[in-house]
């Protein structure tokens, strides 16, 4: 009888540990249902710290370009959707992004804070680091300033250098294999629009496709390792087609 009681207690403890672990390793509405949304609480959360790092990578080369801005805007929607009061959360995340993109003095501090928060979860480290590398590549190439920011973040995470270079090299190789559409007809076809369409119609189609294929930091938890690369490649193809059409239309 006593053995059954002990087994029950052990089982209960393991269950509680599992529940606690699951709550903090999955970004879902269930995990954040009791989260009190405020600027202070979001700034200290994993995802708030991550948004701050996204801001620094996006602005590392001196500007946030149009595609980066588009992807960051969609990311705000993705992240805020798992918190209570999504609209309020989204507004605060925008504030955090705008404040952090122009600051370089606290890069290491923010990266260390997030690194400490997720150090027991290697999958999450990989997910965040992969997304930041992906963001740097999204405009086609990584500048020296972007590379410096990424390296600082990786060091603060105590991220395995071999794993870092493996991710980086995979994105670099993938981007080299993305070729612009051979002609304008292919570009129209990719966006699913016609040459006679107004630019407003084409822009709407472009934004819809970017939203559909963008690398989603929330959904990527349940995807394979190549998810981010495929999403990035498709997003870059869509963007190149759109830029080609814009030049022709002008």
């Amino acid at each position: 009888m006593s053995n059954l009681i002990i087994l029950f207690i052990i089982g209960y403890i393991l269950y509680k540990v599992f529940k606690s672990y699951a709550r903090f390793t999955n970004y879902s509405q269930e995990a954040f249902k009791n989260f009190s949304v405020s600027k202070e609480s979001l700034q200290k959360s994993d995802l708030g710290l991550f948004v701050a790092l996204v801001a620094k990578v996006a602005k590392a080369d001196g500007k946030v370009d149009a595609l980066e801005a588009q992807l960051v805007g969609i990311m705000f929607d993705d992240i805020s959707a798992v918190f209570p009061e999504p609209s309020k959360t989204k507004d605060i995340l925008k504030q955090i992004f705008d404040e952090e993109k122009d600051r370089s003095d606290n890069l290491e501090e923010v990266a260390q804070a997030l690194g400490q928060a997720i150090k027991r979860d290697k999958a999450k480290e990989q997910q965040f680091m992969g997304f930041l590398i992906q963001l740097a590549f999204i405009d086609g190439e990584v500048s020296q300033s972007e590379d410096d920011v990424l390296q600082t973040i990786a060091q603060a995470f105590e991220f395995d250098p071999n794993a870092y270079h493996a991710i980086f090299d995979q994105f670099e190789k993938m981007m080299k294999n993305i070729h612009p559409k051979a002609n304008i007809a292919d570009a129209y076809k990719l966006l699913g629009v016609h040459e006679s369409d107004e630019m407003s119609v084409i822009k709407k189609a472009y934004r819809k496709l970017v939203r559909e294929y963008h690398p989603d930091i929330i959904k990527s938890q349940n995807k394979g390792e190549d998810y981010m690369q495929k999403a990035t490649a498709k997003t870059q193809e869509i963007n190149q087609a759109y830029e080609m059409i814009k030049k022709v239309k002008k």
Side-chain angles (χ1 to χ4, degrees):
M1 184 68 175
S2 60
N3 287 339
L4 287 174
I5 294 172
I6 292 171
L7 286 173
F8 174 80
I9 293 171
I10 292 173
Y12 178 75
I13 291 172
L14 289 173
Y15 170 77
K16 295 296 286 185
V17 168
F18 172 78
K19 289 287 286 184
S20 176
Y21 179 77
R23 182 175 183 273
F24 290 101
T25 54
N26 291 289
Y27 296 122
S28 64
Q29 290 178 331
E30 178 64 24
F32 288 97
K33 66 180 180 181
N34 297 318
F35 189 92
S36 178
V37 175
S38 69
K39 187 176 180 182
E40 182 180 10
S41 63
L42 282 171
Q43 281 179 316
K44 293 178 180 179
S45 70
D46 291 2
L47 291 171
L49 291 166
F50 176 68
V51 166
L53 293 181
V54 166
K56 296 178 189 304
V57 172
K59 189 68 182 292
D61 57 359
K63 66 184 186 303
V64 179
D65 70 22
L67 181 56
E68 286 175 327
Q70 187 84 8
L71 292 174
V72 168
I74 297 171
M75 183 191 70
F76 289 149
D77 292 335
D78 295 337
I79 293 178
S80 61
V82 303
F83 286 93
E85 303 178 273
S87 181
K88 178 181 177 181
T89 299
K90 186 176 178 179
D91 288 341
I92 295 173
L93 291 176
K94 286 181 179 179
Q95 289 178 38
I96 293 171
F97 182 91
D98 289 339
E99 290 172 4
E100 294 293 340
K101 68 182 173 66
D102 295 320
R103 291 190 64 181
S104 58
D105 60 302
N106 66 341
L107 170 61
E108 194 169 349
E109 177 186 344
V110 174
Q112 286 178 345
L114 181 55
Q116 282 296 309
I118 63 174
K119 67 179 180 179
R120 296 182 184 278
D121 191 336
K122 296 303 178 185
K124 192 176 291 184
E125 280 186 359
Q126 186 103 351
Q127 179 190 22
F128 282 151
M129 201 70 242
F131 191 96
L132 293 170
I133 293 172
Q134 167 268 325
L135 181 65
F137 270 105
I138 202 66
D139 59 357
E141 60 182 2
V142 176
S143 66
Q144 184 59 55
S145 53
E146 287 173 321
D147 188 47
D148 291 342
V149 169
L150 289 172
Q151 291 279 2
T152 299
I153 294 170
Q155 289 171 14
F157 279 11
E158 297 182 359
F159 198 80
D160 179 4
N162 292 327
Y164 174 87
H165 288 297
I167 297 171
F168 193 97
D169 292 347
Q170 285 174 344
F171 273 105
E172 190 170 47
K173 182 179 179 181
M174 178 202 69
M175 295 305 289
K176 287 179 180 178
N177 290 329
I178 297 175
H179 302 291
K181 291 302 171 188
N183 55 62
I184 191 66
D186 289 340
Y188 283 120
K189 185 177 180 180
L190 178 61
L191 295 191
V193 295
H194 302 286
E195 185 178 354
S196 58
D197 288 336
E198 295 290 332
M199 201 60 211
S200 59
V201 174
I202 295 170
K203 188 174 184 179
K204 185 177 180 181
Y206 161 72
R207 287 181 170 175
K208 182 180 178 182
L209 284 172
V210 169
R211 178 171 288 278
E212 180 180 348
Y213 288 104
H214 80 286
D216 188 331
I217 190 64
I218 301 299
K219 290 181 180 178
S220 66
Q221 298 171 93
N222 301 315
K223 303 284 186 179
E225 290 182 5
D226 61 345
Y227 166 74
M228 284 290 187
Q229 293 176 44
K230 288 182 178 178
T232 303
K234 190 65 178 181
T235 302
Q236 185 59 230
E237 287 178 359
I238 292 165
N239 192 60
Q240 287 179 355
Y242 180 64
E243 291 299 323
M244 180 184 285
I245 292 170
K246 278 204 302 183
K247 287 180 182 178
V248 171
K249 286 285 186 181
K250 284 181 180 178

